[in-house]
Amino acid sequence: MRDRAATDFTAIAEAFRGRRVLVTGHTGFKGGWLSLWLSQMGAHVTGVSLPPAAEPSLFESARIAQFVDHRIADIRKPEEFAEATQGCQPDLLIHMAAQSLVRPSYDDPAGTFATNVTGTAVVLDWARRLPMLKGIVVVTSDKCYENHEWAWPYRENDQIGGADPYSASKGCAEIVAGAFRRSYFSEPGSAHVATVRAGNVFGGGDWATDRLIPDIIRAAMAGRSVRIRNPASVRPWQHVLEPLSGYLLLGSLLMSARGGEFAGAWNFGPPADAFLRVDDIARGLLAQWGDGRPQIELGASACDPHEAGMLTLDSSKARQRLGWRPRLSTDAAIAMTADWYRAFAGGDADMQAFTRAQIGEYVGGETSIPQPAEKMPLCV
């Protein structure tokens, strides 16, 4: 299940213990897992985000507000964001807040660009005025690459682009981060800026609409069938903890004396055997779900917008320079995900404890649950 010789989680935990970390988008799926993991390592976490978009949500079911200094703000509005973060002096900023779905970007392209591009500029403009800040991790997407439907994976130096509004907005976010890095974060003593690109992540607590795993789970819980769009499309599938482990490793290095060596772009994708078709992942989850599995209907409808057919990532740079590598097989990742949703569907599990236990199992270390961190950890 795990490669214990891979990422040194003990060293990462030591790097974050007592550190002040600001996470934007902490009410989202990836942001919620990241915030819990940071608090589990002893970091003082402040989160700035809109309220949870989905109901139910990981933020509510895992009671993340108990461990995070929870603040509400719209990153598209500079004054609102500045007010929410007044007095904050983080050691590390992890910017995850985003409109994160392809299909909704077709319905609201202006809103998608406003959040993913203008919002990134607002956050970085605020960050350049923080004298104590040591590192910035800007989370974009594997879809930031100009997709040529190649059979080989994309590397960090491949062309940025995007045919749909979401993909293009993530390519623009990369350009914005690069411009801020060269314009404001290149002087000695300034924070070091990195961007990170992950594959198609899944895991317990994702309730977003028009996303494969949540759609299947909702169908299973409601006792109805589910239609799977583009079953033959190939994606770099990975459990949410896999890229988050890369973000944390990179963040710990950005805060170190050698931080400048780790600025720039990084892919955190799965191995080649996890470059799988959509229907392979769907069938794997159904097999793990067991009794009560929904019937699936394969195929897109004529009104479905365009989505890439082939998209994979090359993470050689992260493996060679950071020592990062994925730990979970695809089967193990799907099993963890099914376990989480089954526990939730049962109605009597403590989902905060369950989520933290999965983090502990992933790192192969202590799974005990700490007391909630002291509030307002970032303010001076």
Side-chain angles (χ1 to χ4, degrees), residues 258-294:
R258 300 169 50 214
E261 300 176 23
F262 305 101
W266 299 86
N267 286 342
F268 293 101
D273 60 6
F275 299 164
L276 298 172
R277 290 164 48 114
V278 167
D279 58 347
D280 291 331
I281 294 294
R283 295 183 197 282
L285 179 64
L286 291 174
Q288 288 289 340
W289 190 258
D291 294 341
R293 70 187 69 174

mmCIF file of all heavy atoms in Angstrom, residues 258-294:
data_model
loop_
_atom_site.group_PDB
_atom_site.id
_atom_site.type_symbol
_atom_site.label_atom_id
_atom_site.label_comp_id
_atom_site.label_asym_id
_atom_site.label_seq_id
_atom_site.Cartn_x
_atom_site.Cartn_y
_atom_site.Cartn_z
ATOM 1 N N ARG A 258 17.577 27.127 2.076
ATOM 2 C CA ARG A 258 17.806 26.856 0.651
ATOM 3 C C ARG A 258 16.566 27.110 -0.181
ATOM 4 O O ARG A 258 16.474 26.650 -1.320
ATOM 5 C CB ARG A 258 18.250 25.405 0.469
ATOM 6 C CG ARG A 258 19.521 25.025 1.190
ATOM 7 C CD ARG A 258 19.719 23.509 1.161
ATOM 8 N NE ARG A 258 19.575 22.972 -0.178
ATOM 9 C CZ ARG A 258 19.061 21.766 -0.463
ATOM 10 N NH1 ARG A 258 18.602 20.998 0.512
ATOM 11 N NH2 ARG A 258 18.986 21.342 -1.706
ATOM 12 N N GLY A 259 15.608 27.864 0.358
ATOM 13 C CA GLY A 259 14.315 28.006 -0.279
ATOM 14 C C GLY A 259 14.347 28.440 -1.721
ATOM 15 O O GLY A 259 13.519 28.000 -2.527
ATOM 16 N N GLY A 260 15.294 29.305 -2.070
ATOM 17 C CA GLY A 260 15.354 29.813 -3.431
ATOM 18 C C GLY A 260 15.585 28.743 -4.479
ATOM 19 O O GLY A 260 15.217 28.912 -5.651
ATOM 20 N N GLU A 261 16.158 27.613 -4.080
ATOM 21 C CA GLU A 261 16.416 26.529 -5.024
ATOM 22 C C GLU A 261 15.127 25.836 -5.481
ATOM 23 O O GLU A 261 15.141 25.102 -6.474
ATOM 24 C CB GLU A 261 17.324 25.468 -4.378
ATOM 25 C CG GLU A 261 18.679 25.978 -3.937
ATOM 26 C CD GLU A 261 19.476 24.900 -3.219
ATOM 27 O OE1 GLU A 261 19.190 23.698 -3.451
ATOM 28 O OE2 GLU A 261 20.357 25.251 -2.409
ATOM 29 N N PHE A 262 14.042 26.077 -4.759
ATOM 30 C CA PHE A 262 12.817 25.318 -5.011
ATOM 31 C C PHE A 262 11.696 26.183 -5.565
ATOM 32 O O PHE A 262 10.556 25.719 -5.699
ATOM 33 C CB PHE A 262 12.383 24.618 -3.726
ATOM 34 C CG PHE A 262 13.466 23.757 -3.144
ATOM 35 C CD1 PHE A 262 14.220 24.210 -2.061
ATOM 36 C CD2 PHE A 262 13.784 22.547 -3.717
ATOM 37 C CE1 PHE A 262 15.241 23.440 -1.536
ATOM 38 C CE2 PHE A 262 14.812 21.767 -3.204
ATOM 39 C CZ PHE A 262 15.543 22.207 -2.117
ATOM 40 N N ALA A 263 12.002 27.447 -5.901
ATOM 41 C CA ALA A 263 11.013 28.297 -6.567
ATOM 42 C C ALA A 263 10.773 27.772 -7.981
ATOM 43 O O ALA A 263 11.603 27.084 -8.559
ATOM 44 C CB ALA A 263 11.499 29.745 -6.598
ATOM 45 N N GLY A 264 9.601 28.097 -8.533
ATOM 46 C CA GLY A 264 9.279 27.652 -9.888
ATOM 47 C C GLY A 264 8.120 26.677 -9.906
ATOM 48 O O GLY A 264 7.373 26.549 -8.933
ATOM 49 N N ALA A 265 7.971 25.971 -11.025
ATOM 50 C CA ALA A 265 6.819 25.099 -11.248
ATOM 51 C C ALA A 265 7.163 23.644 -10.943
ATOM 52 O O ALA A 265 8.277 23.186 -11.206
ATOM 53 C CB ALA A 265 6.346 25.218 -12.691
ATOM 54 N N TRP A 266 6.171 22.912 -10.402
ATOM 55 C CA TRP A 266 6.354 21.513 -10.029
ATOM 56 C C TRP A 266 5.101 20.707 -10.354
ATOM 57 O O TRP A 266 3.992 21.118 -10.034
ATOM 58 C CB TRP A 266 6.624 21.386 -8.528
ATOM 59 C CG TRP A 266 7.863 22.094 -8.073
ATOM 60 C CD1 TRP A 266 7.967 23.413 -7.709
ATOM 61 C CD2 TRP A 266 9.180 21.539 -7.960
ATOM 62 N NE1 TRP A 266 9.271 23.699 -7.368
ATOM 63 C CE2 TRP A 266 10.037 22.569 -7.507
ATOM 64 C CE3 TRP A 266 9.713 20.264 -8.180
ATOM 65 C CZ2 TRP A 266 11.398 22.365 -7.291
ATOM 66 C CZ3 TRP A 266 11.067 20.058 -7.959
ATOM 67 C CH2 TRP A 266 11.893 21.099 -7.519
ATOM 68 N N ASN A 267 5.298 19.550 -10.983
ATOM 69 C CA ASN A 267 4.224 18.574 -11.169
ATOM 70 C C ASN A 267 4.241 17.566 -10.027
ATOM 71 O O ASN A 267 5.312 17.091 -9.626
ATOM 72 C CB ASN A 267 4.418 17.791 -12.473
ATOM 73 C CG ASN A 267 4.106 18.600 -13.713
ATOM 74 O OD1 ASN A 267 3.444 19.632 -13.649
ATOM 75 N ND2 ASN A 267 4.578 18.134 -14.855
ATOM 76 N N PHE A 268 3.054 17.222 -9.530
ATOM 77 C CA PHE A 268 2.907 16.159 -8.542
ATOM 78 C C PHE A 268 1.814 15.209 -9.025
ATOM 79 O O PHE A 268 0.660 15.295 -8.607
ATOM 80 C CB PHE A 268 2.563 16.729 -7.165
ATOM 81 C CG PHE A 268 3.684 17.529 -6.551
ATOM 82 C CD1 PHE A 268 3.653 18.920 -6.581
ATOM 83 C CD2 PHE A 268 4.760 16.893 -5.964
ATOM 84 C CE1 PHE A 268 4.686 19.664 -6.016
ATOM 85 C CE2 PHE A 268 5.797 17.635 -5.398
ATOM 86 C CZ PHE A 268 5.767 19.014 -5.431
ATOM 87 N N GLY A 269 2.186 14.328 -9.928
ATOM 88 C CA GLY A 269 1.237 13.397 -10.510
ATOM 89 C C GLY A 269 1.543 11.961 -10.149
ATOM 90 O O GLY A 269 2.580 11.661 -9.552
ATOM 91 N N PRO A 270 0.659 11.053 -10.519
ATOM 92 C CA PRO A 270 0.827 9.640 -10.181
ATOM 93 C C PRO A 270 1.787 8.957 -11.146
ATOM 94 O O PRO A 270 2.159 9.520 -12.183
ATOM 95 C CB PRO A 270 -0.585 9.089 -10.334
ATOM 96 C CG PRO A 270 -1.150 9.911 -11.455
ATOM 97 C CD PRO A 270 -0.600 11.299 -11.255
ATOM 98 N N PRO A 271 2.190 7.709 -10.846
ATOM 99 C CA PRO A 271 3.003 6.939 -11.787
ATOM 100 C C PRO A 271 2.188 6.572 -13.015
ATOM 101 O O PRO A 271 0.954 6.693 -13.034
ATOM 102 C CB PRO A 271 3.408 5.705 -10.983
ATOM 103 C CG PRO A 271 2.338 5.560 -9.951
ATOM 104 C CD PRO A 271 1.919 6.967 -9.607
ATOM 105 N N ALA A 272 2.886 6.088 -14.040
ATOM 106 C CA ALA A 272 2.232 5.825 -15.319
ATOM 107 C C ALA A 272 1.116 4.796 -15.216
ATOM 108 O O ALA A 272 0.151 4.849 -15.992
ATOM 109 C CB ALA A 272 3.276 5.375 -16.350
ATOM 110 N N ASP A 273 1.202 3.860 -14.251
ATOM 111 C CA ASP A 273 0.151 2.849 -14.164
ATOM 112 C C ASP A 273 -1.150 3.410 -13.602
ATOM 113 O O ASP A 273 -2.166 2.708 -13.557
ATOM 114 C CB ASP A 273 0.611 1.639 -13.353
ATOM 115 C CG ASP A 273 0.990 1.978 -11.912
ATOM 116 O OD1 ASP A 273 0.786 3.138 -11.485
ATOM 117 O OD2 ASP A 273 1.487 1.074 -11.218
ATOM 118 N N ALA A 274 -1.137 4.671 -13.171
ATOM 119 C CA ALA A 274 -2.366 5.335 -12.718
ATOM 120 C C ALA A 274 -2.922 6.281 -13.783
ATOM 121 O O ALA A 274 -3.853 7.037 -13.507
ATOM 122 C CB ALA A 274 -2.120 6.097 -11.424
ATOM 123 N N PHE A 275 -2.345 6.265 -14.992
ATOM 124 C CA PHE A 275 -2.921 7.005 -16.113
ATOM 125 C C PHE A 275 -4.033 6.125 -16.684
ATOM 126 O O PHE A 275 -3.813 5.310 -17.573
ATOM 127 C CB PHE A 275 -1.879 7.299 -17.180
ATOM 128 C CG PHE A 275 -0.719 8.141 -16.729
ATOM 129 C CD1 PHE A 275 0.432 8.210 -17.485
ATOM 130 C CD2 PHE A 275 -0.761 8.866 -15.552
ATOM 131 C CE1 PHE A 275 1.512 8.985 -17.088
ATOM 132 C CE2 PHE A 275 0.308 9.643 -15.137
ATOM 133 C CZ PHE A 275 1.452 9.705 -15.915
ATOM 134 N N LEU A 276 -5.231 6.292 -16.157
ATOM 135 C CA LEU A 276 -6.311 5.351 -16.428
ATOM 136 C C LEU A 276 -7.518 6.025 -17.070
ATOM 137 O O LEU A 276 -7.738 7.230 -16.923
ATOM 138 C CB LEU A 276 -6.752 4.679 -15.126
ATOM 139 C CG LEU A 276 -5.686 3.837 -14.412
ATOM 140 C CD1 LEU A 276 -6.206 3.396 -13.051
ATOM 141 C CD2 LEU A 276 -5.288 2.642 -15.249
ATOM 142 N N ARG A 277 -8.296 5.204 -17.745
ATOM 143 C CA ARG A 277 -9.548 5.680 -18.321
ATOM 144 C C ARG A 277 -10.564 5.980 -17.221
ATOM 145 O O ARG A 277 -10.521 5.406 -16.129
ATOM 146 C CB ARG A 277 -10.123 4.623 -19.258
ATOM 147 C CG ARG A 277 -9.353 4.421 -20.546
ATOM 148 C CD ARG A 277 -9.751 3.126 -21.226
ATOM 149 N NE ARG A 277 -11.191 2.950 -21.325
ATOM 150 C CZ ARG A 277 -11.871 2.933 -22.476
ATOM 151 N NH1 ARG A 277 -11.245 3.119 -23.634
ATOM 152 N NH2 ARG A 277 -13.176 2.721 -22.480
ATOM 153 N N VAL A 278 -11.477 6.880 -17.537
ATOM 154 C CA VAL A 278 -12.530 7.247 -16.594
ATOM 155 C C VAL A 278 -13.341 6.022 -16.184
ATOM 156 O O VAL A 278 -13.655 5.827 -15.003
ATOM 157 C CB VAL A 278 -13.431 8.330 -17.221
ATOM 158 C CG1 VAL A 278 -14.716 8.502 -16.416
ATOM 159 C CG2 VAL A 278 -12.685 9.659 -17.323
ATOM 160 N N ASP A 279 -13.684 5.165 -17.146
ATOM 161 C CA ASP A 279 -14.505 4.017 -16.785
ATOM 162 C C ASP A 279 -13.747 3.007 -15.933
ATOM 163 O O ASP A 279 -14.367 2.274 -15.147
ATOM 164 C CB ASP A 279 -15.119 3.366 -18.025
ATOM 165 C CG ASP A 279 -14.090 2.909 -19.042
ATOM 166 O OD1 ASP A 279 -12.916 3.297 -18.926
ATOM 167 O OD2 ASP A 279 -14.463 2.166 -19.973
ATOM 168 N N ASP A 280 -12.415 2.952 -16.022
ATOM 169 C CA ASP A 280 -11.638 2.078 -15.140
ATOM 170 C C ASP A 280 -11.779 2.511 -13.682
ATOM 171 O O ASP A 280 -11.954 1.681 -12.779
ATOM 172 C CB ASP A 280 -10.161 2.081 -15.538
ATOM 173 C CG ASP A 280 -9.904 1.395 -16.867
ATOM 174 O OD1 ASP A 280 -10.674 0.483 -17.216
ATOM 175 O OD2 ASP A 280 -8.940 1.778 -17.558
ATOM 176 N N ILE A 281 -11.674 3.812 -13.444
ATOM 177 C CA ILE A 281 -11.817 4.332 -12.081
ATOM 178 C C ILE A 281 -13.239 4.114 -11.579
ATOM 179 O O ILE A 281 -13.462 3.710 -10.421
ATOM 180 C CB ILE A 281 -11.449 5.829 -12.039
ATOM 181 C CG1 ILE A 281 -9.965 6.020 -12.339
ATOM 182 C CG2 ILE A 281 -11.805 6.446 -10.687
ATOM 183 C CD1 ILE A 281 -9.039 5.445 -11.281
ATOM 184 N N ALA A 282 -14.219 4.359 -12.442
ATOM 185 C CA ALA A 282 -15.614 4.184 -12.047
ATOM 186 C C ALA A 282 -15.891 2.739 -11.644
ATOM 187 O O ALA A 282 -16.501 2.474 -10.602
ATOM 188 C CB ALA A 282 -16.542 4.613 -13.190
ATOM 189 N N ARG A 283 -15.416 1.788 -12.436
ATOM 190 C CA ARG A 283 -15.663 0.386 -12.131
ATOM 191 C C ARG A 283 -14.909 -0.043 -10.869
ATOM 192 O O ARG A 283 -15.397 -0.868 -10.083
ATOM 193 C CB ARG A 283 -15.271 -0.489 -13.316
ATOM 194 C CG ARG A 283 -16.122 -0.248 -14.559
ATOM 195 C CD ARG A 283 -15.749 -1.178 -15.694
ATOM 196 N NE ARG A 283 -16.243 -0.707 -16.964
ATOM 197 C CZ ARG A 283 -17.488 -0.824 -17.386
ATOM 198 N NH1 ARG A 283 -18.398 -1.398 -16.603
ATOM 199 N NH2 ARG A 283 -17.858 -0.367 -18.576
ATOM 200 N N GLY A 284 -13.718 0.507 -10.676
ATOM 201 C CA GLY A 284 -12.967 0.184 -9.469
ATOM 202 C C GLY A 284 -13.690 0.641 -8.212
ATOM 203 O O GLY A 284 -13.734 -0.085 -7.206
ATOM 204 N N LEU A 285 -14.264 1.845 -8.259
ATOM 205 C CA LEU A 285 -15.011 2.338 -7.100
ATOM 206 C C LEU A 285 -16.266 1.510 -6.856
ATOM 207 O O LEU A 285 -16.596 1.182 -5.713
ATOM 208 C CB LEU A 285 -15.370 3.809 -7.302
ATOM 209 C CG LEU A 285 -16.173 4.447 -6.163
ATOM 210 C CD1 LEU A 285 -15.355 4.475 -4.878
ATOM 211 C CD2 LEU A 285 -16.618 5.858 -6.531
ATOM 212 N N LEU A 286 -16.955 1.138 -7.931
ATOM 213 C CA LEU A 286 -18.174 0.340 -7.782
ATOM 214 C C LEU A 286 -17.854 -1.018 -7.157
ATOM 215 O O LEU A 286 -18.614 -1.530 -6.325
ATOM 216 C CB LEU A 286 -18.850 0.160 -9.138
ATOM 217 C CG LEU A 286 -19.466 1.431 -9.755
ATOM 218 C CD1 LEU A 286 -19.958 1.149 -11.151
ATOM 219 C CD2 LEU A 286 -20.583 1.970 -8.890
ATOM 220 N N ALA A 287 -16.725 -1.600 -7.556
ATOM 221 C CA ALA A 287 -16.335 -2.888 -6.981
ATOM 222 C C ALA A 287 -16.052 -2.766 -5.490
ATOM 223 O O ALA A 287 -16.393 -3.654 -4.699
ATOM 224 C CB ALA A 287 -15.111 -3.434 -7.715
ATOM 225 N N GLN A 288 -15.425 -1.651 -5.083
ATOM 226 C CA GLN A 288 -15.124 -1.430 -3.666
ATOM 227 C C GLN A 288 -16.384 -1.101 -2.870
ATOM 228 O O GLN A 288 -16.465 -1.411 -1.675
ATOM 229 C CB GLN A 288 -14.111 -0.294 -3.518
ATOM 230 C CG GLN A 288 -12.700 -0.648 -3.942
ATOM 231 C CD GLN A 288 -12.030 -1.596 -2.971
ATOM 232 O OE1 GLN A 288 -12.441 -1.726 -1.820
ATOM 233 N NE2 GLN A 288 -10.993 -2.281 -3.435
ATOM 234 N N TRP A 289 -17.364 -0.481 -3.505
ATOM 235 C CA TRP A 289 -18.577 -0.082 -2.794
ATOM 236 C C TRP A 289 -19.395 -1.289 -2.364
ATOM 237 O O TRP A 289 -19.978 -1.313 -1.285
ATOM 238 C CB TRP A 289 -19.408 0.857 -3.668
ATOM 239 C CG TRP A 289 -20.543 1.484 -2.923
ATOM 240 C CD1 TRP A 289 -21.859 1.124 -2.969
ATOM 241 C CD2 TRP A 289 -20.475 2.565 -1.998
ATOM 242 N NE1 TRP A 289 -22.615 1.920 -2.150
ATOM 243 C CE2 TRP A 289 -21.773 2.827 -1.528
ATOM 244 C CE3 TRP A 289 -19.424 3.358 -1.523
ATOM 245 C CZ2 TRP A 289 -22.058 3.824 -0.610
ATOM 246 C CZ3 TRP A 289 -19.707 4.362 -0.611
ATOM 247 C CH2 TRP A 289 -21.012 4.583 -0.165
ATOM 248 N N GLY A 290 -19.417 -2.311 -3.222
ATOM 249 C CA GLY A 290 -20.127 -3.527 -2.845
ATOM 250 C C GLY A 290 -21.622 -3.421 -3.041
ATOM 251 O O GLY A 290 -22.101 -2.841 -4.019
ATOM 252 N N ASP A 291 -22.393 -3.967 -2.101
ATOM 253 C CA ASP A 291 -23.849 -3.979 -2.217
ATOM 254 C C ASP A 291 -24.395 -2.558 -2.325
ATOM 255 O O ASP A 291 -23.901 -1.631 -1.686
ATOM 256 C CB ASP A 291 -24.481 -4.665 -1.005
ATOM 257 C CG ASP A 291 -24.149 -6.145 -0.949
ATOM 258 O OD1 ASP A 291 -23.763 -6.696 -2.007
ATOM 259 O OD2 ASP A 291 -24.267 -6.734 0.133
ATOM 260 N N GLY A 292 -25.421 -2.424 -3.150
ATOM 261 C CA GLY A 292 -26.039 -1.120 -3.319
ATOM 262 C C GLY A 292 -25.355 -0.256 -4.361
ATOM 263 O O GLY A 292 -25.663 0.923 -4.490
ATOM 264 N N ARG A 293 -24.426 -0.847 -5.113
ATOM 265 C CA ARG A 293 -23.721 -0.062 -6.132
ATOM 266 C C ARG A 293 -24.699 0.383 -7.207
ATOM 267 O O ARG A 293 -25.617 -0.356 -7.590
ATOM 268 C CB ARG A 293 -22.589 -0.882 -6.745
ATOM 269 C CG ARG A 293 -23.039 -2.021 -7.620
ATOM 270 C CD ARG A 293 -21.897 -2.909 -8.061
ATOM 271 N NE ARG A 293 -21.354 -3.660 -6.959
ATOM 272 C CZ ARG A 293 -20.421 -4.597 -7.086
ATOM 273 N NH1 ARG A 293 -19.934 -4.883 -8.277
ATOM 274 N NH2 ARG A 293 -19.971 -5.257 -6.044
ATOM 275 N N PRO A 294 -24.533 1.606 -7.728
ATOM 276 C CA PRO A 294 -25.473 2.092 -8.744
ATOM 277 C C PRO A 294 -25.165 1.508 -10.116
ATOM 278 O O PRO A 294 -24.063 1.052 -10.385
ATOM 279 C CB PRO A 294 -25.226 3.602 -8.730
ATOM 280 C CG PRO A 294 -23.780 3.729 -8.349
ATOM 281 C CD PRO A 294 -23.538 2.614 -7.357
#
